[in-house]
Amino acid sequence: MAKGPMRKVTPRQPEGGPCEAGVGSRRRFLRSAGLGALGIAATTVAFARSGSRAHASTSNPEGSRQKRSHEYFMRRAIGMAKKVPRFPFGVVIVRRATGEIVAEGFNRSSENPTFHGEIDAINRCAATRRSIDWTALDLYTTAEPCPMCQSAIEWAGISTVYYGTSIPSLQSHGWSQIDIRAEEVARRTPFRQTKVIGGILEDECNVLFDAAPKSEFKK
């Protein structure tokens, strides 16, 4: 009998790619082990679920977003303050539920005497997030807000303020400050329930103001 040309036979791949191939192999093994249809089905579902979880973990290594610490956000504010070592007032505004930073700012009083760090950050947030819910936001600042800035925070509706250096500490180190505490402004604003919390990385913030050169606001 005449022989025709040899034809290379390629093993057929199971449909569905490598994952389905793994499932097919597993089914053959389980069948040979005598688990039966019910055992095969249960094990196949478990295998598919574990594969799905592995894929989700690979595509999103961080998993669900974790809320960062107060220290993390204050260090971001300190980073902003270092942009202006003469007036090291840095600010970060954060969406409380997710930890998303929605705006950052620093003291720009050299351009406008009212552009303190808090005012700068609030302006940036208002310009880029026109429909934002301000009550869902927290503000981190390297120094306790002055009465002007705390009043702006109240009008905006920001719920919580975290600061590093206090107004009394600034005064003791030669900084000119209006002698009204942020908590008092918040307390005298009956249409808000703003929380004011101080002492976040206070020592690190104090270093900024101690190291600042003399100016019209620092003796």
Side-chain angles (χ1 to χ4, degrees):
M1 174 183 277
K3 295 182 179 180
M6 296 293 290
R7 185 176 62 180
K8 184 177 180 180
V9 178
T10 303
R12 183 182 178 188
Q13 296 294 328
E15 295 180 2
C19 183
E20 290 297 327
V23 172
S25 299
R26 198 169 289 265
R27 280 175 178 161
R28 286 193 294 273
F29 171 76
L30 294 173
R31 189 176 289 111
S32 66
L35 285 183
L38 185 60
I40 292 171
T43 308
T44 300
V45 169
F47 174 74
R49 286 177 176 172
S50 65
S52 176
R53 286 195 297 270
H55 176 72
S57 176
T58 302
S59 61
N60 183 15
E62 296 182 0
S64 60
R65 190 172 196 168
Q66 297 296 319
K67 189 172 182 181
R68 298 184 176 99
S69 67
H70 296 312
E71 288 77 13
Y72 172 86
F73 295 118
M74 187 58 76
R75 287 201 170 94
R76 287 290 297 253
I78 289 172
M80 296 301 293
K82 289 180 178 179
K83 295 177 181 289
V84 281
R86 193 178 181 204
F87 303 106
F89 299 86
V91 176
V92 171
I93 299 177
V94 177
R95 195 188 300 273
R96 187 181 318 107
T98 62
E100 176 194 4
I101 293 176
V102 299
E104 298 175 295
F106 52 84
N107 187 288
R108 293 166 53 207
S109 58
S110 59
E111 304 172 33
N112 183 317
T114 67
F115 281 0
H116 290 192
E118 294 89 340
I119 303 297
D120 184 39
I122 289 172
N123 283 340
R124 292 174 189 268
C125 185
T128 59
R129 312 278 183 136
R130 294 183 181 277
S131 60
I132 199 165
D133 177 9
W134 292 86
T135 64
L137 305 180
D138 294 337
L139 183 145
Y140 293 79
T141 175
T142 53
E144 182 178 353
C146 72
M148 177 186 71
C149 292
Q150 186 62 39
S151 296
I153 290 166
E154 300 297 338
W155 286 116
I158 295 171
S159 293
T160 310
V161 174
Y162 298 95
Y163 68 82
T165 300
S166 68
I167 286 176
S169 180
L170 288 173
Q171 291 172 323
S172 68
H173 288 82
W175 287 87
S176 299
Q177 290 287 302
I178 298 174
D179 198 16
I180 301 175
R181 303 294 300 274
E183 191 280 330
E184 182 177 353
V185 176
R187 180 169 52 82
R188 290 174 174 266
T189 309
F191 54 89
R192 303 288 190 207
Q193 289 80 44
T194 310
K195 296 179 183 178
V196 180
I197 301 170
I200 308 297
L201 295 184
E202 184 174 8
D203 291 341
E204 293 183 36
C205 292
N206 287 345
V207 169
L208 296 172
F209 297 101
D210 289 342
K214 292 183 178 180
S215 67
E216 65 267 37
F217 297 111
K218 183 184 181 184
K219 300 175 184 177

